[in-house]
Each structure stands twice: as C-alpha cells, then as structure tokens.
Amino acid sequence: ALGQFEDYARNTQRISPEIVTSVASITDAGDLADLICAHLPLRVKDRQELLELVDVDERLTQVVSVLMRENDLHGIERQVRD
C-alpha cells in the first residue's frame, strides 16, 4: 500500500512530501489504511464505507485497489496529454 501511495503522491502531486513521510512512518496496517484513505479522492459515502470495514486486511486491500485505479487513471491522462 505504501508504494502505491508514494506513486500516487508523486504522479498526481496532490499529496505533500510531509504527508508521504508521515504515512511511511506508520507501522499499524489499520492506521496506514485509514490515513491513506483520508487522502484519496473518494466520495464521502465511499470513504465512509471503506473506513467502516472492520477487517483490516480487507480495508487495506480496498485502499490498494483505489490507489491502483487512481494511478492507472493518472497514467492514461498523462498519455492523452502527451
């Protein structure tokens, strides 16, 4: 998840380096998923559903899925611009 988040932050330039550093220092998987989720471009309803997932592995899996989608989308946008 961290690698995907770092890619997202680097590619979109929407996340400050300080936030990336803060996220990188988190060792608890649930806290990592929650903090990354807080910085993703999600609708409130989607964010709430994700944060309400009790199973940490499922929450982290969903966060990674969103990050991968956002990174893919950014790649496509970049290809269209170039």
Side-chain angles (χ1 to χ4, degrees), residues 11-78:
N11 292 334
T12 65
Q13 298 179 344
R14 295 179 185 162
I15 310 292
S16 72
E18 293 81 14
I19 296 295
V20 175
T21 300
S22 175
V23 168
S25 70
I26 296 174
T27 57
D28 180 78
D31 291 343
L32 178 65
D34 294 348
L35 188 56
I36 290 174
C37 181
H39 294 285
L40 293 176
L42 296 170
R43 295 181 310 196
V44 173
K45 178 181 179 241
D46 295 335
R47 183 182 323 275
Q48 186 65 36
E49 287 176 3
L50 205 155
L51 291 171
E52 287 177 354
L53 290 172
V54 176
D55 184 291
V56 174
D57 290 336
E58 177 63 20
R59 194 162 68 238
L60 203 51
T61 298
Q62 292 296 324
V63 166
V64 168
S65 176
V66 171
L67 283 168
M68 290 174 64
R69 183 182 71 226
E70 289 297 320
N71 285 334
D72 288 347
L73 219 83
H74 186 276
I76 292 168
E77 289 172 351
R78 188 174 49 227

